[in-house]
Amino acid sequence: MSKSREMLADQVCCPPGALLHEPISAAVAADMAVKLKALADPVRLQLFSAIASHAGGEACVCDISPGLEVSQPTISHHLKVLRDAGLLTSQRRASWVYYAVVPEALASLAVLLGATTAHTVAGVSA
């Protein structure tokens, strides 16, 4: 094998540096599993991304429901699952409920998935 091929093989096999500062604990793993399980449903993932991409990271349920091919009670159920998983908060304003992404939850998911490192996300260590 040529020297350049060996170097390429080493780069693919063993990237330099660790993605996480340290392995996650059992408690963190359990917490992350709940969040990832909540996001594993396509409708919940769409709802979460719609809220996260909305101005200010919060949205009224009336803003995120259009385009989803499920009933309003089903949307409410999925939003409750995301809230229970610690991914969203909710606040009633008059007759509407506004949902917001929990910034720490989003940051911890980003660290776990390698979108950033624990060193670059303030206050979050995985």
Side-chain angles (χ1 to χ4, degrees):
M1 185 184 300
S2 72
K3 187 167 186 137
S4 62
R5 287 184 107 174
E6 286 177 20
M7 287 176 45
L8 181 61
D10 286 342
Q11 289 173 351
V12 172
C13 174
C14 306
L19 296 177
L20 295 174
H21 180 63
E22 60 189 24
I24 60 175
S25 67
V28 171
D31 181 58
M32 286 289 112
V34 169
K35 288 173 176 45
L36 293 170
K37 184 177 179 182
L39 290 172
D41 182 90
V43 172
R44 289 194 287 265
L45 188 55
Q46 281 183 287
L47 289 167
F48 184 78
S49 68
I51 296 166
S53 64
H54 206 269
E58 79 169 5
C60 173
V61 70
C62 61
D63 295 330
I64 56 175
S65 298
L68 294 174
E69 297 182 12
V70 293
S71 66
Q72 182 57 48
T74 301
I75 290 172
S76 294
H77 165 75
H78 286 303
L79 289 167
K80 181 184 182 319
V81 171
L82 291 169
R83 264 192 353 259
D84 290 347
L87 294 166
L88 298 178
T89 60
S90 63
Q91 181 182 35
R92 180 168 292 282
R93 298 180 196 161
S95 61
W96 295 106
V97 177
Y98 284 78
Y99 292 88
V101 171
V102 175
E104 298 82 9
L106 189 57
S108 64
L109 286 169
V111 169
L112 182 68
L113 298 175
T116 186
T117 65
H119 301 290
T120 61
V121 178
V124 176
S125 60

